[in-house]
Amino acid sequence: MLKAAILDMVQELEQGSPFSASLAKYPNMFSAFYQRMTAVGEETGHLEPMMRRAADYMERDAAIVSKGRRALVYPSIVMVVGIAAGFVLVIWTVPALTRLFAEFEAELPLTTRILMAVGDIAGRFGLHIALATMSSAVLGGWYIRTKGGARRRDYLLMRVPVVSGIIQTSNMARFTSTLNTLLKAGLPMPHILDMLTTAATHAPLKEALGPVKEDLLAGERLGQALRKHDVFPRLLVQMVSTGEESGSLETNLEAAASFYEEATARMITGITTLLEPMLVLFIGLAIGFVAVSVISPMYSIVQQIK
């Protein structure tokens, strides 16, 4: 796909089209931020430094995403294995044990009766449950890809105590890094806010940037405009205000970007470190429940055989 896109872009350039216009033909491959940075570089005659700044930003952004994905690998594997093991037990193992216990008329404890009831429900309605689950997953995935669904998802996640902290911190890392990159490129602040709004994917942040731009055009400083919106942490607002007053806004933004990137990595690592033993404990309890449910009736059967 990339090779075909590059070949087509070469033809566009040979026909006289701007580089940014050829990139715009492939929005799924080249982000809006990348396209706008390229367009600004062409307009100002500084394409090479703009591309370097875009590359630096994209590398830092990719590093944040990569850390989060690596941290979730082990918990995801544990969850998949646990669900698969439970599925095998409920669908195949439990029905066989149910027939055995019924044949010997063994006395069944509560845990065994619960396990057998789950197995019976899965055996009767397993296909319906699987189809309903898959349909819900597909419809839910489609809905959150719509504009309204994505907006509702973003606002709902901001109400979840731990998740909201990670989302806000990671968004502030991207926001400050992008803002710093564009300021170093010498762009005017209203133009920068337009680019930030286009590049933002988080609904609360995206919707706050419009009023921020209006306040700037009305004569307010950036720090004052950011202070009106809860999506921007007070620490960031203070660093921006201090940077504007002292003339060191770019330096403060760079420090803020590094701080929020490290904070995001620490929060993700902390949550996964806590999540791993909790998953192992949960699976251990589930295995113990199944073991007790299966072994307890066995003693009753052995007694009857004796």
Side-chain angles (χ1 to χ4, degrees):
M1 293 176 62
L2 180 59
K3 180 178 180 179
I6 291 176
L7 291 175
D8 182 62
M9 289 162 58
V10 169
Q11 295 180 356
E12 293 283 337
L13 292 172
E14 291 175 346
Q15 294 173 5
S17 297
F19 182 43
S20 57
S22 63
L23 293 175
K25 292 181 61 178
Y26 300 94
N28 294 330
M29 197 171 296
F30 303 102
S31 65
F33 170 79
Y34 189 75
Q35 297 173 27
R36 295 292 294 271
M37 290 286 286
T38 305
V40 172
E42 289 177 322
E43 294 171 2
T44 59
H46 299 87
L47 182 59
E48 180 182 351
M50 292 299 292
M51 297 291 286
R52 291 185 182 277
R53 291 192 181 100
D56 291 340
Y57 165 77
M58 293 167 68
E59 288 173 359
R60 296 174 69 175
D61 187 62
I64 295 175
V65 176
S66 178
K67 288 179 181 178
R69 289 177 176 173
R70 287 199 305 268
L72 293 175
V73 169
Y74 177 75
S76 300
I77 293 175
V78 173
M79 288 183 64
V80 170
V81 172
I83 292 173
F87 180 80
V88 171
L89 282 171
V90 170
I91 297 299
W92 285 286
T93 306
V94 173
L97 292 173
T98 300
R99 291 190 295 270
L100 176 64
F101 297 153
E103 182 179 350
F104 284 91
E105 298 181 354
E107 184 180 352
L108 303 179
L110 177 61
T111 55
T112 307
R113 295 197 299 271
I114 293 174
L115 188 63
M116 290 173 61
V118 173
D120 182 58
I121 294 173
R124 292 184 179 182
F125 307 104
L127 181 60
H128 300 82
I129 294 173
L131 290 175
T133 303
M134 293 176 61
S135 300
S136 300
V138 171
L139 291 174
W142 169 81
Y143 178 68
I144 63 175
R145 284 180 174 85
T146 63
K147 184 177 180 180
R151 183 179 183 277
R152 184 180 296 273
R153 175 204 61 195
D154 290 344
Y155 276 98
L156 286 176
L157 288 177
M158 290 304 293
R159 298 179 181 179
V160 181
V162 178
V163 177
S164 61
I166 296 178
I167 292 175
Q168 185 183 44
T169 305
S170 62
N171 275 289
M172 289 304 102
R174 293 179 178 180
F175 172 76
T176 51
S177 179
T178 308
L179 179 57
N180 183 47
T181 300
L182 297 176
L183 280 174
K184 287 182 178 179
L187 299 179
M189 187 60 71
H191 192 180
I192 290 175
L193 289 174
D194 287 337
M195 295 182 68
L196 288 171
T197 304
T198 302
T201 58
H202 188 56
L205 175 61
K206 193 179 189 74
E207 293 175 2
L209 289 174
V212 169
K213 178 184 175 181
E214 294 177 0
D215 291 338
L216 286 176
L217 294 175
E220 293 187 9
R221 289 188 173 186
L222 180 61
Q224 294 174 327
L226 297 180
R227 194 182 302 274
K228 299 178 181 179
H229 304 278
D230 294 335
V231 69
F232 301 105
R234 292 293 169 241
L235 174 62
L236 174 61
V237 173
Q238 186 62 40
M239 292 184 72
V240 170
S241 300
T242 304
E244 289 179 312
E245 294 172 0
S246 61
S248 58
L249 180 57
E250 293 181 9
T251 302
N252 284 16
L253 286 174
E254 186 173 357
S258 299
F259 168 77
Y260 284 115
E261 288 170 5
E262 294 175 0
T264 302
R266 286 197 304 270
M267 294 175 72
I268 293 175
T269 302
I271 289 177
T272 52
T273 301
L274 179 63
L275 187 62
E276 290 174 6
M278 291 178 63
L279 286 173
V280 173
L281 178 62
F282 173 77
I283 292 178
L285 292 174
I287 293 174
F289 175 82
V290 174
V292 170
S293 302
V294 172
I295 294 175
S296 297
M298 291 295 184
Y299 285 107
S300 177
I301 293 175
V302 170
Q303 294 296 327
Q304 290 183 23
I305 293 175
K306 288 181 178 181

XYZ file of all heavy atoms in Angstrom, residues 30-79:
397
model
N -1.258 9.097 5.954
C -0.550 10.286 6.430
C -1.527 11.125 7.237
O -2.556 11.562 6.721
C -0.001 11.087 5.251
C 0.918 10.308 4.351
C 0.458 9.815 3.142
C 2.220 10.030 4.729
C 1.284 9.075 2.313
C 3.053 9.296 3.909
C 2.582 8.813 2.695
N -1.215 11.358 8.509
C -2.124 12.040 9.418
C -2.328 13.494 9.008
O -1.529 14.073 8.245
C -1.572 11.985 10.847
O -0.358 12.721 10.932
N -3.406 14.088 9.538
C -3.690 15.492 9.252
C -2.567 16.389 9.755
O -2.205 17.388 9.110
C -5.021 15.890 9.900
N -2.001 16.039 10.910
C -0.874 16.817 11.448
C 0.302 16.781 10.487
O 0.924 17.812 10.195
C -0.469 16.241 12.806
C 0.811 16.805 13.354
C 0.823 18.050 13.964
C 1.999 16.102 13.253
C 2.003 18.579 14.463
C 3.176 16.620 13.748
C 3.175 17.864 14.355
N 0.615 15.625 9.962
C 1.733 15.471 9.031
C 1.480 16.281 7.759
O 2.383 16.951 7.240
C 1.894 13.985 8.699
C 3.130 13.643 7.911
C 4.379 13.620 8.513
C 3.040 13.321 6.557
C 5.512 13.287 7.791
C 4.164 12.991 5.824
C 5.399 12.975 6.448
O 6.512 12.660 5.723
N 0.267 16.251 7.249
C -0.077 16.999 6.046
C 0.052 18.505 6.276
O 0.609 19.229 5.437
C -1.495 16.659 5.607
C -1.709 15.208 5.213
C -3.169 14.898 4.957
O -3.945 15.782 4.595
N -3.567 13.655 5.154
N -0.451 18.964 7.432
C -0.405 20.411 7.694
C 1.032 20.887 7.907
O 1.404 21.980 7.460
C -1.259 20.735 8.928
C -2.744 20.474 8.755
C -3.384 21.426 7.755
N -3.378 22.791 8.222
C -4.342 23.331 8.962
N -5.402 22.599 9.313
N -4.283 24.589 9.345
N 1.836 20.084 8.586
C 3.238 20.451 8.775
C 3.949 20.551 7.429
O 4.766 21.450 7.194
C 3.929 19.431 9.670
C 3.486 19.454 11.116
S 4.121 20.882 12.034
C 5.831 20.416 12.252
N 3.660 19.636 6.524
C 4.260 19.663 5.193
C 3.802 20.898 4.419
O 4.606 21.563 3.746
C 3.877 18.393 4.424
O 4.248 17.245 5.184
C 4.584 18.341 3.080
N 2.511 21.200 4.512
C 1.987 22.377 3.817
C 2.637 23.663 4.333
O 2.993 24.551 3.548
C 0.471 22.442 3.984
N 2.809 23.766 5.645
C 3.457 24.949 6.220
C 4.901 25.036 5.754
O 5.401 26.127 5.435
C 3.375 24.904 7.756
C 4.215 26.010 8.370
C 1.934 25.025 8.215
N 5.586 23.906 5.708
C 6.967 23.904 5.227
C 7.077 24.366 3.784
O 8.017 25.094 3.421
N 6.118 23.985 2.966
C 6.124 24.421 1.565
C 5.836 25.921 1.458
O 6.467 26.631 0.662
C 5.083 23.634 0.773
C 5.451 22.174 0.555
C 4.369 21.398 -0.165
O 3.174 21.648 0.117
O 4.704 20.555 -1.006
N 4.900 26.388 2.284
C 4.531 27.808 2.222
C 5.663 28.714 2.679
O 5.853 29.810 2.138
C 3.289 28.051 3.078
C 2.029 27.370 2.550
C 0.877 27.456 3.528
O 1.067 28.089 4.587
O -0.209 26.900 3.244
N 6.403 28.289 3.685
C 7.470 29.122 4.255
C 8.824 28.872 3.606
O 9.777 29.607 3.884
C 7.584 28.867 5.766
O 7.875 27.472 5.988
C 6.289 29.233 6.470
N 8.922 27.844 2.769
C 10.204 27.519 2.158
C 11.155 26.796 3.086
O 12.369 26.767 2.839
N 10.650 26.218 4.162
C 11.478 25.475 5.126
C 10.913 24.059 5.283
O 10.562 23.637 6.390
C 11.510 26.186 6.476
C 12.092 27.563 6.422
N 11.337 28.682 6.130
C 13.374 28.006 6.590
C 12.118 29.755 6.139
N 13.361 29.379 6.417
N 10.830 23.356 4.189
C 10.224 22.022 4.229
C 11.064 21.040 5.037
O 10.522 20.258 5.823
C 10.029 21.498 2.799
C 9.350 20.132 2.678
C 7.972 20.145 3.318
C 9.248 19.717 1.202
N 12.385 21.076 4.847
C 13.233 20.086 5.540
C 13.139 20.212 7.069
O 12.891 19.208 7.754
C 14.685 20.214 5.083
C 15.604 19.201 5.768
C 17.049 19.349 5.346
O 17.320 20.111 4.400
O 17.907 18.703 5.968
N 13.325 21.404 7.660
C 13.205 21.478 9.135
C 11.808 21.122 9.639
O 11.666 20.544 10.716
C 13.568 22.935 9.449
C 13.445 23.664 8.167
C 13.759 22.687 7.096
N 10.775 21.466 8.859
C 9.425 21.112 9.281
C 9.234 19.599 9.279
O 8.596 19.040 10.180
C 8.402 21.775 8.368
C 8.342 23.284 8.479
S 7.876 23.842 10.127
C 6.191 23.281 10.194
N 9.793 18.926 8.285
C 9.688 17.471 8.239
C 10.447 16.844 9.402
O 10.013 15.834 9.970
C 10.232 16.953 6.911
C 9.456 17.426 5.684
S 7.815 16.694 5.576
C 8.235 15.046 5.079
N 11.586 17.415 9.747
C 12.353 16.889 10.888
C 11.576 17.051 12.192
O 11.550 16.143 13.033
C 13.710 17.590 10.990
C 14.666 17.250 9.858
C 16.033 17.890 10.079
N 16.933 17.599 8.979
C 17.641 16.469 8.859
N 17.542 15.528 9.788
N 18.449 16.290 7.837
N 10.937 18.203 12.370
C 10.133 18.426 13.579
C 8.945 17.464 13.614
O 8.581 16.936 14.667
C 9.657 19.868 13.627
C 10.767 20.887 13.862
C 10.205 22.265 14.181
N 11.272 23.230 14.383
C 11.673 24.101 13.470
N 11.092 24.119 12.290
N 12.642 24.952 13.736
N 8.314 17.255 12.456
C 7.199 16.310 12.397
C 7.660 14.902 12.740
O 6.972 14.162 13.462
C 6.562 16.337 11.005
N 8.824 14.526 12.246
C 9.354 13.187 12.542
C 9.653 13.024 14.027
O 9.350 11.985 14.627
C 10.618 12.935 11.716
N 10.246 14.057 14.639
C 10.539 13.988 16.074
C 9.252 13.824 16.882
O 9.185 13.014 17.825
C 11.270 15.266 16.525
C 12.679 15.340 15.959
O 13.204 14.278 15.561
O 13.239 16.449 15.891
N 8.233 14.586 16.519
C 6.965 14.491 17.236
C 6.345 13.104 17.061
O 5.866 12.494 18.033
C 5.997 15.562 16.733
C 4.569 15.298 17.152
C 4.144 15.571 18.447
C 3.657 14.737 16.259
C 2.844 15.315 18.840
C 2.356 14.474 16.641
C 1.953 14.763 17.935
O 0.673 14.489 18.322
N 6.333 12.601 15.837
C 5.720 11.307 15.572
C 6.463 10.180 16.288
O 5.857 9.209 16.746
C 5.674 11.053 14.065
C 4.727 12.007 13.325
S 4.933 11.994 11.538
C 4.346 10.349 11.152
N 7.782 10.295 16.402
C 8.554 9.286 17.130
C 8.198 9.295 18.615
O 8.033 8.238 19.233
C 10.049 9.538 16.941
C 10.558 9.198 15.535
C 11.991 9.607 15.323
O 12.583 10.183 16.271
O 12.525 9.367 14.231
N 8.079 10.467 19.191
C 7.717 10.563 20.608
C 6.300 10.063 20.840
O 6.019 9.377 21.829
C 7.860 12.005 21.090
C 9.290 12.535 21.047
C 9.377 13.999 21.388
N 9.068 14.243 22.791
C 9.168 15.435 23.364
N 9.546 16.483 22.651
N 8.879 15.589 24.631
N 5.399 10.389 19.918
C 4.020 9.937 20.042
C 3.941 8.420 19.913
O 3.221 7.755 20.676
C 3.161 10.603 18.967
C 1.686 10.300 19.143
O 1.126 10.675 20.180
O 1.097 9.679 18.248
N 4.685 7.856 18.972
C 4.686 6.404 18.788
C 5.287 5.701 19.994
O 4.877 4.587 20.349
C 5.464 6.037 17.527
N 6.271 6.334 20.649
C 6.890 5.723 21.831
C 5.876 5.594 22.966
O 5.855 4.584 23.685
C 8.091 6.550 22.283
N 5.016 6.603 23.143
C 3.993 6.547 24.189
C 3.026 5.403 23.925
O 2.699 4.607 24.816
C 3.236 7.882 24.264
C 4.183 9.005 24.707
C 2.067 7.781 25.241
C 3.533 10.382 24.678
N 2.559 5.289 22.670
C 1.618 4.226 22.313
C 2.265 2.857 22.466
O 1.650 1.910 22.962
C 1.118 4.435 20.871
C 0.208 3.287 20.448
C 0.381 5.763 20.754
N 3.536 2.752 22.072
C 4.231 1.465 22.150
C 4.396 0.997 23.598
O 4.244 -0.197 23.893
C 5.610 1.581 21.477
O 6.327 0.380 21.574
N 4.685 1.916 24.500
C 4.823 1.551 25.906
C 3.513 0.991 26.449
O 3.498 0.004 27.188
C 5.261 2.765 26.727
C 6.701 3.184 26.493
C 7.055 4.419 27.316
C 8.493 4.856 27.053
N 8.847 6.092 27.814
N 2.420 1.640 26.096
C 1.121 1.155 26.559
C 0.791 -0.219 26.012
O 0.298 -1.090 26.738
N 1.081 -0.471 24.748
C 0.787 -1.771 24.154
C 1.650 -2.867 24.758
O 1.162 -3.968 25.037
C 0.997 -1.704 22.640
C -0.073 -0.876 21.913
C 0.215 -0.778 20.438
N -0.847 -0.065 19.734
C -0.789 0.291 18.462
N 0.301 -0.002 17.742
N -1.796 0.941 17.898
N 2.929 -2.576 24.959
C 3.817 -3.600 25.554
C 3.359 -3.947 26.961
O 3.428 -5.106 27.376
C 5.258 -3.090 25.576
C 5.937 -3.061 24.223
C 7.449 -3.009 24.382
N 7.856 -1.892 25.216
C 8.180 -0.689 24.749
N 8.087 -0.448 23.448
N 8.561 0.280 25.560
N 2.910 -2.945 27.703
C 2.488 -3.196 29.084
C 1.241 -4.064 29.157
O 1.015 -4.749 30.158
C 2.243 -1.881 29.805
N 0.416 -4.047 28.113
C -0.840 -4.794 28.133
C -0.719 -6.193 27.532
O -1.713 -6.926 27.517
C -1.913 -4.008 27.363
C -2.346 -2.681 27.996
C -3.306 -1.956 27.074
C -2.990 -2.906 29.359
N 0.459 -6.562 27.041
C 0.613 -7.870 26.385
C 0.365 -9.010 27.369
O -0.458 -9.900 27.123
C 2.012 -7.997 25.756
C 2.275 -9.445 25.319
C 2.127 -7.083 24.547
N 1.059 -9.007 28.509
C 0.936 -10.118 29.462
C -0.479 -10.238 30.035
O -1.060 -11.329 30.024
C 1.958 -9.956 30.581
C 1.860 -11.030 31.643
C 2.329 -12.316 31.408
C 1.279 -10.757 32.882
C 2.231 -13.303 32.372
C 1.167 -11.727 33.852
C 1.652 -12.999 33.593
O 1.541 -13.968 34.546
N -1.084 -9.128 30.528
C -2.470 -9.266 31.013
C -3.426 -9.770 29.943
O -4.342 -10.546 30.249
C -2.822 -7.834 31.450
C -1.516 -7.194 31.749
C -0.562 -7.778 30.768
N -3.232 -9.355 28.699
C -4.128 -9.812 27.626
C -3.992 -11.309 27.405
O -4.992 -12.017 27.228
C -3.811 -9.054 26.338
O -3.995 -7.666 26.503
N -2.749 -11.810 27.417
C -2.534 -13.250 27.226
C -3.180 -14.036 28.359
O -3.832 -15.069 28.138
C -1.026 -13.555 27.128
C -0.457 -12.946 25.838
C -0.769 -15.061 27.161
C 1.041 -13.100 25.711
N -3.001 -13.575 29.589
C -3.588 -14.268 30.744
C -5.111 -14.308 30.634
O -5.753 -15.338 30.888
C -3.157 -13.572 32.054
C -3.899 -14.166 33.240
C -1.657 -13.730 32.255
N -5.723 -13.206 30.225
C -7.175 -13.161 30.111
C -7.670 -14.104 29.015
O -8.654 -14.826 29.195
C -7.634 -11.734 29.819
C -7.501 -10.784 30.991
S -8.127 -9.131 30.614
C -9.861 -9.494 30.337
